[in-house]
Amino acid sequence: MVKLRDIAQQTGYSISTVSKALSGKGRMSDETRNNILSVAKSLGYTPDFYAKSMASKTKTFVLGLIVPDITNPFFAYLTRGVERACGEACLLVLMDSFRSLHREEQLIRAARFYGVNGIVVGNSRVNDELIDEISKYVPVVIFDKECKCDNVVSIVVDNYYGAYLATKHLVENGCKHIIHFGGTQELYVSLQRAQGYEAAIKESGLKSHIVRVGYAFDDGYKAAKKLLNERNQFDGAFCMNDLVALGVMKALKEEGRKVPEDAAIVGFDDDKQLCEVTVPSLSSVRQPVEMMGETAGKMLLELINGQSNTKKVIFSPSLVVRDSSARR
Amino acid sequence: MVKLRDIAQQTGYSISTVSKALSGKGRMSDETRNNILSVAKSLGYTPDFYAKSMASKTKTFVLGLIVPDITNPFFAYLTRGVERACGEACLLVLMDSFRSLHREEQLIRAARFYGVNGIVVGNSRVNDELIDEISKYVPVVIFDKECKCDNVVSIVVDNYYGAYLATKHLVENGCKHIIHFGGTQELYVSLQRAQGYEAAIKESGLKSHIVRVGYAFDDGYKAAKKLLNERNQFDGAFCMNDLVALGVMKALKEEGRKVPEDAAIVGFDDDKQLCEVTVPSLSSVRQPVEMMGETAGKMLLELINGQSNTKKVIFSPSLVVRDSSARR
DNA sequence: TCTTCTTGCGCAAACGTTTTCTCAAAATTA
DNA sequence: TAATTTTGAGAAAACGTTTGCGCAAGAAGA
C-alpha cells in the first residue's frame, strides 16, 4: 500500500505538505500542489481509512449488524431501519450468517475483534452465554429475542398479541373451525403465536386445533393438503407466517375451496411484496420492522454513549385485513 | 469516550498492561486482570475501532456497497454475494440510498471521505462524471450498468438475451399475440429487454406490441386491465419484471382469462419468494445475482490490489419455466 | 533602507491502540 | 546459598494520518 511517505519521497516534499496538498487545506504554490497530485495519482495512492479517522477530529462510529439472511425481507427491513438510525454519524457493517449457527457465533466474536463500537444481533439462535460474554466488551442490542443478560437491550414484538388479534378477527368473521398452522417448538416466536391463538379461541368458546408445521411454503401446502384429503374441514386458518399461509391457500384452491368464501386465511409478518401480490391478497399481522430496526440502532447508540437505562422495548403488531379474510 | 489511559489512571497500572488485560494476551496475575476488567466495565470502556485497526498488524479492508433499496430482493441477493466475496478478509459497509438520487450522490462522495478501500455501486442512476471523479480516489465496481470510465469495472447481465429467451419460449409455446409490458426509457435495462423482445418477435414473423409501463405491481395490473377492457386480446405476455407480471396475471384472472391456458406469462428477475408462491407459479428469467455480487466483490478486491485487467463481466441469464407458461 | 506582511513549506505533536523488549522481583531448582 | 527460571508489569516504538505552529525568504510599504 502506497502512503503519504512514498509520495513525499518521490516528490521531495514533506509528509505534511503532501497531506495538505491532497486535502486541499494548506498554503502552497499551484506548482507544488499539482506536482504532488499527479505523483499521488500515478502511484495509485489511497488514504488509509483507519489512520485518517484516527488523526482527524471527527470520529465516525461503526455499528455491526448480524442477520441470519439478508434476502429475507424481514431482515432487509430491519437493516434499513438500523441504517436509518445510523444517519450520517455511523457506518453500518452488515454481516450475514447465512443461517449458520456456527458462522453466527464466529461473527459475534469477530465483531468484538474488529472493534466495532456496538452490534445489533437479529433473531439470534446463539445461547445467552456468548451474548453475555461479548456484551462485556461491546454493547449489544438483540432483536426479536428476549435476553436476560445485563447490558443487553432487547427489541421484541408482542407475538402473543398479534396472534390474538388475527384469531379474534377470524372469529368475528364468523369462522367456526379455525386451525392454527405453526407452533413448532424450535422458535420462541412460534410458541408465543400459538399461545395467542389459544387465548382467542378459548375466549370465543371454539375448539383449538393446532397443526405443527415448519415455516416454508411447502410446509403449509402439505399440511393443509393432508388435512383436506382426510376430510378435515376448516373455515379459518391462522398461519405462523405468510409463506405458510400461501401454501395453505394453494392447497385450498386445488381442492376446490374458495378463499375467503369457504375459508378465511390470515398470515403473519405482512411481507408486502408477498401479501399484496397474490390473488386473493393475503391478510396478515404486521410488525413495524423498519421502525423496530431504527429503534434498535438508536438504543445501541445510547448504549455506546452510556446513557441507556432501557432493558427491553416491546412493539405492538397490527392486523392488516386484505381479501383473504374479507367479511363474508 | 473512555480510553485505555483512563483505565490505567483509575487502576494505577500502565496503558500497556491494561491493553493486555483486555485482549487477554499478556502475562499478569488474575487479580490484576480482574481488577482492570471490572474497572473497564464500570467505566463503560469501548475500544476505538480506528486506533485498534491502525495499531494491529492485520489490516482489514473495508468495502462499501451502495444499493438503492435493500428491501428489494435483487439487491439483497447482490449484497449477499458481495458479502460472500468479503469472507473473513473484509468488512462490508452497507449504504442504502433509499432510492434517492441525491442521497446516492452523497453516499458515493462520503464513501471517499470515510476512506473505505473500494466501493460497489449497485444499479446506479448517478451520472458518469461523479463515478469518474470518485474512481480517481477509490476503486469502483459498478453493478448492472455500463460505465465508460477508466479504472471502473462493470458487472452486467445480458438483458437482451434474457428477453430474447423469454419471448422465444412464448413463441414456441404457440402464442400468436405476445405483448411486452415494459420498455420505459428511464432505465437502461428496460431498453435492452425491449430490444431482446423485438428481436425474438421479428424472428418469428409475429407482430411486436410494446406497452410502456413502470416497474410496480399496479403498473402491470392497470395496463393489462385497460388493454382487456378495450378488447385488446393477447395470448402471451413478457413482462419487464416479476411484479409487473403478477399485476398482469391478476388482471387476466379478473377478466376471466385462464393462465396459462388463455394467456401465458413470463416475468423477469426470478424472485423466488414471489414466483414459486403464486398460483399459478410464475415463469421468469433468472439472473445469477448472488454470483454476480460475489464477482463484483472479487473484482473490487483485485482492483484494490492493483491486479485487475478486466473492464467488464457479462453474465448470461437463463429461463425458469413454471406453470404460468406451461406448454398447452 | 528598514520595517512589516505574505508566501511556501517543514517540524513535531497528537490520535488510541498493539506489541516487542526489558527488567526487577519472586519462585524454583541445584 | 547460589544459580536459574518464571512471573508481573512497564517503557517505548510503531501504525499513517492531520494540523498548529514556526520560520526563512521574498514582496510590499514607509
Side-chain angles (χ1 to χ4, degrees), chain A residues 206-240:
Chain A
L206 296 175
K207 248 182 74 187
S208 149
H209 184 172
I210 296 184
V211 178
R212 300 212 183 279
V213 298
Y215 36 77
F217 177 76
D218 257 6
D219 292 330
Y221 174 71
K222 285 180 185 155
K225 198 84 176 179
K226 183 160 174 252
L227 230 57
L228 293 167
N229 283 338
E230 289 167 354
R231 309 201 164 236
N232 246 313
Q233 304 297 337
F234 58 95
D235 60 358
F238 164 56
C239 306
M240 68 98 61

mmCIF file of all heavy atoms in Angstrom, chain A residues 206-240:
data_model
loop_
_atom_site.group_PDB
_atom_site.id
_atom_site.type_symbol
_atom_site.label_atom_id
_atom_site.label_comp_id
_atom_site.label_asym_id
_atom_site.label_seq_id
_atom_site.Cartn_x
_atom_site.Cartn_y
_atom_site.Cartn_z
ATOM 1 N N LEU A 206 -64.704 -21.624 21.033
ATOM 2 C CA LEU A 206 -64.487 -22.597 19.956
ATOM 3 C C LEU A 206 -63.462 -23.643 20.376
ATOM 4 O O LEU A 206 -62.913 -23.578 21.474
ATOM 5 C CB LEU A 206 -63.994 -21.873 18.691
ATOM 6 C CG LEU A 206 -64.982 -20.891 18.073
ATOM 7 C CD1 LEU A 206 -64.338 -20.161 16.900
ATOM 8 C CD2 LEU A 206 -66.248 -21.611 17.611
ATOM 9 N N LYS A 207 -63.187 -24.566 19.442
ATOM 10 C CA LYS A 207 -62.223 -25.609 19.750
ATOM 11 C C LYS A 207 -60.873 -25.314 19.117
ATOM 12 O O LYS A 207 -60.807 -24.944 17.947
ATOM 13 C CB LYS A 207 -62.738 -26.969 19.249
ATOM 14 C CG LYS A 207 -63.083 -27.920 20.390
ATOM 15 C CD LYS A 207 -63.551 -29.273 19.887
ATOM 16 C CE LYS A 207 -62.426 -30.131 19.340
ATOM 17 N NZ LYS A 207 -62.955 -31.382 18.717
ATOM 18 N N SER A 208 -59.848 -25.436 19.916
ATOM 19 C CA SER A 208 -58.496 -25.180 19.409
ATOM 20 C C SER A 208 -57.989 -26.354 18.582
ATOM 21 O O SER A 208 -58.241 -27.503 18.900
ATOM 22 C CB SER A 208 -57.564 -24.930 20.597
ATOM 23 O OG SER A 208 -56.256 -25.361 20.327
ATOM 24 N N HIS A 209 -57.262 -26.034 17.504
ATOM 25 C CA HIS A 209 -56.723 -27.089 16.654
ATOM 26 C C HIS A 209 -55.414 -26.596 16.032
ATOM 27 O O HIS A 209 -55.434 -25.774 15.119
ATOM 28 C CB HIS A 209 -57.741 -27.458 15.567
ATOM 29 C CG HIS A 209 -57.298 -28.603 14.708
ATOM 30 N ND1 HIS A 209 -58.111 -29.212 13.786
ATOM 31 C CD2 HIS A 209 -56.127 -29.267 14.641
ATOM 32 C CE1 HIS A 209 -57.462 -30.184 13.176
ATOM 33 N NE2 HIS A 209 -56.238 -30.229 13.683
ATOM 34 N N ILE A 210 -54.314 -27.091 16.574
ATOM 35 C CA ILE A 210 -53.012 -26.653 16.084
ATOM 36 C C ILE A 210 -52.370 -27.739 15.241
ATOM 37 O O ILE A 210 -52.292 -28.890 15.659
ATOM 38 C CB ILE A 210 -52.073 -26.293 17.256
ATOM 39 C CG1 ILE A 210 -52.654 -25.102 18.020
ATOM 40 C CG2 ILE A 210 -50.675 -25.965 16.745
ATOM 41 C CD1 ILE A 210 -51.786 -24.594 19.144
ATOM 42 N N VAL A 211 -51.957 -27.367 14.035
ATOM 43 C CA VAL A 211 -51.218 -28.292 13.184
ATOM 44 C C VAL A 211 -49.762 -27.826 13.163
ATOM 45 O O VAL A 211 -49.462 -26.736 12.696
ATOM 46 C CB VAL A 211 -51.780 -28.297 11.751
ATOM 47 C CG1 VAL A 211 -50.956 -29.228 10.874
ATOM 48 C CG2 VAL A 211 -53.230 -28.703 11.756
ATOM 49 N N ARG A 212 -48.899 -28.669 13.677
ATOM 50 C CA ARG A 212 -47.492 -28.265 13.770
ATOM 51 C C ARG A 212 -46.813 -28.346 12.404
ATOM 52 O O ARG A 212 -46.760 -29.401 11.791
ATOM 53 C CB ARG A 212 -46.750 -29.158 14.761
ATOM 54 C CG ARG A 212 -47.346 -29.101 16.163
ATOM 55 C CD ARG A 212 -46.306 -29.277 17.255
ATOM 56 N NE ARG A 212 -46.965 -29.272 18.561
ATOM 57 C CZ ARG A 212 -47.331 -28.159 19.186
ATOM 58 N NH1 ARG A 212 -47.093 -26.982 18.646
ATOM 59 N NH2 ARG A 212 -47.938 -28.221 20.356
ATOM 60 N N VAL A 213 -46.320 -27.218 11.960
ATOM 61 C CA VAL A 213 -45.601 -27.170 10.679
ATOM 62 C C VAL A 213 -44.368 -26.285 10.812
ATOM 63 O O VAL A 213 -44.231 -25.535 11.768
ATOM 64 C CB VAL A 213 -46.483 -26.579 9.558
ATOM 65 C CG1 VAL A 213 -47.697 -27.440 9.311
ATOM 66 C CG2 VAL A 213 -46.879 -25.152 9.887
ATOM 67 N N GLY A 214 -43.496 -26.380 9.842
ATOM 68 C CA GLY A 214 -42.314 -25.519 9.796
ATOM 69 C C GLY A 214 -42.686 -24.138 9.288
ATOM 70 O O GLY A 214 -43.824 -23.709 9.441
ATOM 71 N N TYR A 215 -41.736 -23.460 8.666
ATOM 72 C CA TYR A 215 -42.054 -22.105 8.223
ATOM 73 C C TYR A 215 -41.864 -21.869 6.734
ATOM 74 O O TYR A 215 -41.682 -20.746 6.285
ATOM 75 C CB TYR A 215 -41.283 -21.065 9.033
ATOM 76 C CG TYR A 215 -39.886 -21.472 9.436
ATOM 77 C CD1 TYR A 215 -38.840 -21.455 8.537
ATOM 78 C CD2 TYR A 215 -39.634 -21.874 10.742
ATOM 79 C CE1 TYR A 215 -37.567 -21.820 8.921
ATOM 80 C CE2 TYR A 215 -38.364 -22.246 11.138
ATOM 81 C CZ TYR A 215 -37.334 -22.222 10.223
ATOM 82 O OH TYR A 215 -36.081 -22.586 10.607
ATOM 83 N N ALA A 216 -41.957 -22.949 5.944
ATOM 84 C CA ALA A 216 -41.807 -22.773 4.496
ATOM 85 C C ALA A 216 -43.158 -22.925 3.790
ATOM 86 O O ALA A 216 -44.112 -23.458 4.352
ATOM 87 C CB ALA A 216 -40.827 -23.791 3.941
ATOM 88 N N PHE A 217 -43.205 -22.432 2.581
ATOM 89 C CA PHE A 217 -44.387 -22.523 1.735
ATOM 90 C C PHE A 217 -44.898 -23.957 1.667
ATOM 91 O O PHE A 217 -46.082 -24.233 1.903
ATOM 92 C CB PHE A 217 -44.009 -22.021 0.338
ATOM 93 C CG PHE A 217 -45.104 -22.106 -0.671
ATOM 94 C CD1 PHE A 217 -46.152 -21.194 -0.662
ATOM 95 C CD2 PHE A 217 -45.076 -23.077 -1.664
ATOM 96 C CE1 PHE A 217 -47.149 -21.258 -1.604
ATOM 97 C CE2 PHE A 217 -46.083 -23.146 -2.614
ATOM 98 C CZ PHE A 217 -47.120 -22.240 -2.592
ATOM 99 N N ASP A 218 -43.994 -24.867 1.381
ATOM 100 C CA ASP A 218 -44.364 -26.274 1.227
ATOM 101 C C ASP A 218 -44.924 -26.888 2.504
ATOM 102 O O ASP A 218 -45.794 -27.758 2.447
ATOM 103 C CB ASP A 218 -43.145 -27.081 0.780
ATOM 104 C CG ASP A 218 -43.224 -27.389 -0.700
ATOM 105 O OD1 ASP A 218 -44.170 -26.874 -1.350
ATOM 106 O OD2 ASP A 218 -42.358 -28.122 -1.209
ATOM 107 N N ASP A 219 -44.424 -26.446 3.640
ATOM 108 C CA ASP A 219 -44.928 -26.960 4.916
ATOM 109 C C ASP A 219 -46.423 -26.698 5.034
ATOM 110 O O ASP A 219 -47.201 -27.586 5.390
ATOM 111 C CB ASP A 219 -44.195 -26.289 6.082
ATOM 112 C CG ASP A 219 -42.739 -26.701 6.147
ATOM 113 O OD1 ASP A 219 -42.423 -27.834 5.732
ATOM 114 O OD2 ASP A 219 -41.918 -25.890 6.605
ATOM 115 N N GLY A 220 -46.802 -25.475 4.714
ATOM 116 C CA GLY A 220 -48.221 -25.118 4.783
ATOM 117 C C GLY A 220 -49.031 -25.887 3.762
ATOM 118 O O GLY A 220 -50.108 -26.410 4.060
ATOM 119 N N TYR A 221 -48.478 -25.966 2.570
ATOM 120 C CA TYR A 221 -49.189 -26.632 1.475
ATOM 121 C C TYR A 221 -49.470 -28.087 1.822
ATOM 122 O O TYR A 221 -50.608 -28.559 1.765
ATOM 123 C CB TYR A 221 -48.342 -26.546 0.203
ATOM 124 C CG TYR A 221 -48.894 -27.328 -0.959
ATOM 125 C CD1 TYR A 221 -50.039 -26.904 -1.616
ATOM 126 C CD2 TYR A 221 -48.266 -28.487 -1.392
ATOM 127 C CE1 TYR A 221 -50.550 -27.620 -2.694
ATOM 128 C CE2 TYR A 221 -48.766 -29.210 -2.465
ATOM 129 C CZ TYR A 221 -49.909 -28.774 -3.112
ATOM 130 O OH TYR A 221 -50.410 -29.481 -4.163
ATOM 131 N N LYS A 222 -48.436 -28.793 2.235
ATOM 132 C CA LYS A 222 -48.588 -30.224 2.501
ATOM 133 C C LYS A 222 -49.514 -30.500 3.678
ATOM 134 O O LYS A 222 -50.349 -31.409 3.635
ATOM 135 C CB LYS A 222 -47.217 -30.849 2.763
ATOM 136 C CG LYS A 222 -46.430 -31.022 1.479
ATOM 137 C CD LYS A 222 -45.069 -31.642 1.740
ATOM 138 C CE LYS A 222 -44.253 -31.681 0.447
ATOM 139 N NZ LYS A 222 -42.810 -31.695 0.711
ATOM 140 N N ALA A 223 -49.357 -29.702 4.713
ATOM 141 C CA ALA A 223 -50.185 -29.914 5.902
ATOM 142 C C ALA A 223 -51.657 -29.718 5.574
ATOM 143 O O ALA A 223 -52.522 -30.521 5.959
ATOM 144 C CB ALA A 223 -49.744 -28.964 7.007
ATOM 145 N N ALA A 224 -51.942 -28.655 4.828
ATOM 146 C CA ALA A 224 -53.342 -28.365 4.500
ATOM 147 C C ALA A 224 -53.896 -29.429 3.551
ATOM 148 O O ALA A 224 -55.041 -29.888 3.692
ATOM 149 C CB ALA A 224 -53.442 -26.983 3.861
ATOM 150 N N LYS A 225 -53.079 -29.816 2.615
ATOM 151 C CA LYS A 225 -53.472 -30.835 1.649
ATOM 152 C C LYS A 225 -53.868 -32.138 2.372
ATOM 153 O O LYS A 225 -54.908 -32.733 2.106
ATOM 154 C CB LYS A 225 -52.268 -31.109 0.730
ATOM 155 C CG LYS A 225 -52.607 -31.796 -0.550
ATOM 156 C CD LYS A 225 -53.065 -30.832 -1.616
ATOM 157 C CE LYS A 225 -53.289 -31.597 -2.918
ATOM 158 N NZ LYS A 225 -53.767 -30.728 -3.991
ATOM 159 N N LYS A 226 -53.039 -32.518 3.299
ATOM 160 C CA LYS A 226 -53.282 -33.743 4.062
ATOM 161 C C LYS A 226 -54.602 -33.638 4.823
ATOM 162 O O LYS A 226 -55.448 -34.536 4.781
ATOM 163 C CB LYS A 226 -52.124 -33.936 5.054
ATOM 164 C CG LYS A 226 -52.194 -35.206 5.864
ATOM 165 C CD LYS A 226 -50.829 -35.573 6.447
ATOM 166 C CE LYS A 226 -50.942 -36.759 7.377
ATOM 167 N NZ LYS A 226 -50.780 -36.381 8.798
ATOM 168 N N LEU A 227 -54.762 -32.519 5.464
ATOM 169 C CA LEU A 227 -55.971 -32.275 6.252
ATOM 170 C C LEU A 227 -57.218 -32.394 5.386
ATOM 171 O O LEU A 227 -58.200 -33.054 5.760
ATOM 172 C CB LEU A 227 -55.886 -30.854 6.823
ATOM 173 C CG LEU A 227 -56.139 -30.679 8.309
ATOM 174 C CD1 LEU A 227 -55.175 -31.554 9.092
ATOM 175 C CD2 LEU A 227 -55.961 -29.228 8.692
ATOM 176 N N LEU A 228 -57.160 -31.739 4.236
ATOM 177 C CA LEU A 228 -58.336 -31.712 3.364
ATOM 178 C C LEU A 228 -58.621 -33.099 2.796
ATOM 179 O O LEU A 228 -59.776 -33.494 2.658
ATOM 180 C CB LEU A 228 -58.117 -30.703 2.234
ATOM 181 C CG LEU A 228 -58.054 -29.244 2.704
ATOM 182 C CD1 LEU A 228 -57.517 -28.327 1.606
ATOM 183 C CD2 LEU A 228 -59.448 -28.777 3.145
ATOM 184 N N ASN A 229 -57.579 -33.834 2.489
ATOM 185 C CA ASN A 229 -57.774 -35.186 1.983
ATOM 186 C C ASN A 229 -58.387 -36.096 3.032
ATOM 187 O O ASN A 229 -59.083 -37.051 2.719
ATOM 188 C CB ASN A 229 -56.439 -35.771 1.515
ATOM 189 C CG ASN A 229 -56.041 -35.191 0.173
ATOM 190 O OD1 ASN A 229 -56.896 -34.706 -0.578
ATOM 191 N ND2 ASN A 229 -54.747 -35.207 -0.115
ATOM 192 N N GLU A 230 -58.095 -35.775 4.271
ATOM 193 C CA GLU A 230 -58.678 -36.573 5.359
ATOM 194 C C GLU A 230 -60.067 -36.076 5.731
ATOM 195 O O GLU A 230 -60.595 -36.402 6.773
ATOM 196 C CB GLU A 230 -57.762 -36.485 6.598
ATOM 197 C CG GLU A 230 -56.438 -37.240 6.445
ATOM 198 C CD GLU A 230 -55.462 -36.866 7.555
ATOM 199 O OE1 GLU A 230 -55.785 -35.950 8.342
ATOM 200 O OE2 GLU A 230 -54.386 -37.484 7.608
ATOM 201 N N ARG A 231 -60.592 -35.210 4.882
ATOM 202 C CA ARG A 231 -61.945 -34.664 5.086
ATOM 203 C C ARG A 231 -62.046 -33.859 6.369
ATOM 204 O O ARG A 231 -63.092 -33.757 6.994
ATOM 205 C CB ARG A 231 -62.988 -35.783 5.102
ATOM 206 C CG ARG A 231 -62.840 -36.675 3.891
ATOM 207 C CD ARG A 231 -64.123 -37.438 3.638
ATOM 208 N NE ARG A 231 -64.059 -37.957 2.267
ATOM 209 C CZ ARG A 231 -65.004 -37.692 1.367
ATOM 210 N NH1 ARG A 231 -66.037 -36.958 1.676
ATOM 211 N NH2 ARG A 231 -64.903 -38.181 0.153
ATOM 212 N N ASN A 232 -60.923 -33.334 6.764
ATOM 213 C CA ASN A 232 -60.906 -32.440 7.913
ATOM 214 C C ASN A 232 -61.244 -31.041 7.426
ATOM 215 O O ASN A 232 -60.450 -30.386 6.789
ATOM 216 C CB ASN A 232 -59.499 -32.421 8.527
ATOM 217 C CG ASN A 232 -59.494 -33.017 9.908
ATOM 218 O OD1 ASN A 232 -60.353 -32.668 10.721
ATOM 219 N ND2 ASN A 232 -58.552 -33.912 10.138
ATOM 220 N N GLN A 233 -62.429 -30.612 7.642
ATOM 221 C CA GLN A 233 -62.845 -29.309 7.147
ATOM 222 C C GLN A 233 -62.394 -28.190 8.081
ATOM 223 O O GLN A 233 -62.296 -28.392 9.277
ATOM 224 C CB GLN A 233 -64.376 -29.255 7.013
ATOM 225 C CG GLN A 233 -64.931 -30.337 6.140
ATOM 226 C CD GLN A 233 -64.426 -30.226 4.706
ATOM 227 O OE1 GLN A 233 -64.024 -29.162 4.268
ATOM 228 N NE2 GLN A 233 -64.430 -31.341 3.981
ATOM 229 N N PHE A 234 -62.098 -27.039 7.513
ATOM 230 C CA PHE A 234 -61.898 -25.838 8.330
ATOM 231 C C PHE A 234 -62.329 -24.621 7.536
ATOM 232 O O PHE A 234 -62.278 -24.635 6.305
ATOM 233 C CB PHE A 234 -60.447 -25.712 8.806
ATOM 234 C CG PHE A 234 -59.418 -25.658 7.713
ATOM 235 C CD1 PHE A 234 -58.957 -24.427 7.257
ATOM 236 C CD2 PHE A 234 -58.890 -26.823 7.157
ATOM 237 C CE1 PHE A 234 -57.997 -24.366 6.262
ATOM 238 C CE2 PHE A 234 -57.929 -26.753 6.163
ATOM 239 C CZ PHE A 234 -57.477 -25.525 5.702
ATOM 240 N N ASP A 235 -62.787 -23.628 8.233
ATOM 241 C CA ASP A 235 -63.250 -22.426 7.536
ATOM 242 C C ASP A 235 -62.436 -21.193 7.926
ATOM 243 O O ASP A 235 -62.811 -20.073 7.601
ATOM 244 C CB ASP A 235 -64.742 -22.195 7.799
ATOM 245 C CG ASP A 235 -65.049 -22.010 9.272
ATOM 246 O OD1 ASP A 235 -64.097 -22.109 10.098
ATOM 247 O OD2 ASP A 235 -66.212 -21.737 9.610
ATOM 248 N N GLY A 236 -61.346 -21.455 8.646
ATOM 249 C CA GLY A 236 -60.465 -20.349 9.002
ATOM 250 C C GLY A 236 -59.078 -20.887 9.293
ATOM 251 O O GLY A 236 -58.926 -21.999 9.787
ATOM 252 N N ALA A 237 -58.056 -20.123 8.911
ATOM 253 C CA ALA A 237 -56.692 -20.562 9.188
ATOM 254 C C ALA A 237 -55.846 -19.371 9.602
ATOM 255 O O ALA A 237 -55.781 -18.364 8.888
ATOM 256 C CB ALA A 237 -56.088 -21.232 7.957
ATOM 257 N N PHE A 238 -55.237 -19.508 10.779
ATOM 258 C CA PHE A 238 -54.253 -18.508 11.181
ATOM 259 C C PHE A 238 -52.882 -19.172 11.061
ATOM 260 O O PHE A 238 -52.620 -20.179 11.720
ATOM 261 C CB PHE A 238 -54.512 -18.037 12.612
ATOM 262 C CG PHE A 238 -53.326 -17.317 13.198
ATOM 263 C CD1 PHE A 238 -52.782 -16.202 12.554
ATOM 264 C CD2 PHE A 238 -52.754 -17.745 14.384
ATOM 265 C CE1 PHE A 238 -51.675 -15.553 13.080
ATOM 266 C CE2 PHE A 238 -51.657 -17.095 14.916
ATOM 267 C CZ PHE A 238 -51.111 -15.998 14.257
ATOM 268 N N CYS A 239 -52.024 -18.611 10.225
ATOM 269 C CA CYS A 239 -50.750 -19.260 9.930
ATOM 270 C C CYS A 239 -49.599 -18.484 10.547
ATOM 271 O O CYS A 239 -49.640 -17.263 10.646
ATOM 272 C CB CYS A 239 -50.558 -19.366 8.422
ATOM 273 S SG CYS A 239 -51.950 -20.185 7.620
ATOM 274 N N MET A 240 -48.562 -19.223 10.894
ATOM 275 C CA MET A 240 -47.477 -18.593 11.661
ATOM 276 C C MET A 240 -46.644 -17.628 10.837
ATOM 277 O O MET A 240 -45.958 -16.790 11.396
ATOM 278 C CB MET A 240 -46.606 -19.651 12.328
ATOM 279 C CG MET A 240 -45.794 -20.505 11.397
ATOM 280 S SD MET A 240 -44.121 -19.886 11.290
ATOM 281 C CE MET A 240 -43.611 -20.043 12.982
#
